[in-house]
């Protein structure tokens, strides 16, 4: 009897876990439907105008919107030249499903928590889709936070 109850409980737990995951994926896909959705991303990779090359991978994890927290975003470096660093995200992973997106950079907070600065502690401005630093180079380390607008491709 105890063995039967244990097997039933394990089956029920697995079913509930599956239902939660697919519910999160449906909720996440719905959140992507809006054009120009604002998203806060914590960078999980570093980049530098001095060492990064066009096409290098950039990655991050969503902090906001809350219903997408923990989703992963992937993209590439679009330009890395002296004091200019431009990148964009192309894919969002919600659970084990990927969705193509387009994105545009809106703001940057360094990994040191300084808003409007890069990880060389320089003031920056966002122009077009990139960062322009008030210095001779620029970089963002893992842990920096960027706000983007994103929409389904």
């Amino acid at each position: 009897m105890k063995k039967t109850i244990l097997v039933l409980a394990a089956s029920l737990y697995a079913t509930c876990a599956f239902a939660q995951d697919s519910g999160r994926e449906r909720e996440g896909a719905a959140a992507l439907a809006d054009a120009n959705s604002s998203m806060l991303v914590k960078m999980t990779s570093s980049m530098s105008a001095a060492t990064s090359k066009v096409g290098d991978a950039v990655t991050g994890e969503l902090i906001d919107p809350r219903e997408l927290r923990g989703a992963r975003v992937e993209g590439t470096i679009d330009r890395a030249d002296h004091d200019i660093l431009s990148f964009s995200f192309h894919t969002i992973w919600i659970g084990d499903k990927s969705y193509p997106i387009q994105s545009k950079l809106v703001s940057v907070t360094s990994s040191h928590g300084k808003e409007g600065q890069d990880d060389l502690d320089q003031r920056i401005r966002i122009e077009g889709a990139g960062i322009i630093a008030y210095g001779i180079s620029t970089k963002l380390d893992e842990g920096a936070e960027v706000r983007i607008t994103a929409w389904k491709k």
Side-chain angles (χ1 to χ4, degrees):
M1 179 72 173
K2 286 183 183 179
K3 190 175 185 179
T4 304
I5 291 173
L6 192 58
V7 169
L8 287 172
S11 297
L12 181 61
Y13 177 78
T15 303
C16 290
F18 177 74
Q20 283 180 335
D21 286 345
S22 35
R24 181 172 184 257
E25 288 175 2
R26 276 194 307 274
E27 189 175 280
L32 284 175
D34 296 331
N36 297 328
S37 298
S38 177
M39 298 180 177
L40 184 60
V41 177
K42 184 170 198 150
M43 300 301 298
T44 55
S45 62
S46 297
M47 64 188 95
S48 165
T51 59
S52 297
K53 305 285 184 241
V54 171
D56 284 356
V58 294
T59 58
E61 184 175 302
L62 286 180
I63 298 171
D64 188 55
R66 198 172 79 205
E67 62 269 12
L68 293 177
R69 184 171 287 159
R72 298 179 331 272
V73 289
E74 298 172 346
T76 54
I77 300 286
D78 301 322
R79 183 175 178 189
D81 183 29
H82 300 291
D83 61 344
I84 299 172
L85 187 58
S86 178
F87 62 96
S88 55
F89 295 108
H90 311 292
T91 307
I92 185 168
W93 287 88
I94 303 170
D96 58 355
K97 290 191 179 193
S98 68
Y99 301 91
I101 61 169
Q102 292 181 314
S103 68
K104 183 177 178 185
L105 184 63
V106 175
S107 68
V108 172
T109 301
S110 75
S111 65
H112 309 132
K114 297 178 179 176
E115 191 172 337
Q117 291 189 1
D118 64 10
D119 279 297
L120 298 173
D121 292 327
Q122 303 173 116
R123 288 183 315 123
I124 59 166
R125 72 178 191 269
I126 308 298
E127 193 168 297
I131 299 166
I132 299 178
Y134 293 95
I136 58 171
S137 190
T138 186
K139 76 174 193 168
L140 287 181
D141 290 330
E142 181 178 344
E145 294 179 0
V146 297
R147 180 150 308 269
I148 62 170
T149 56
W151 57 96
K152 270 187 169 179
K153 216 173 200 184

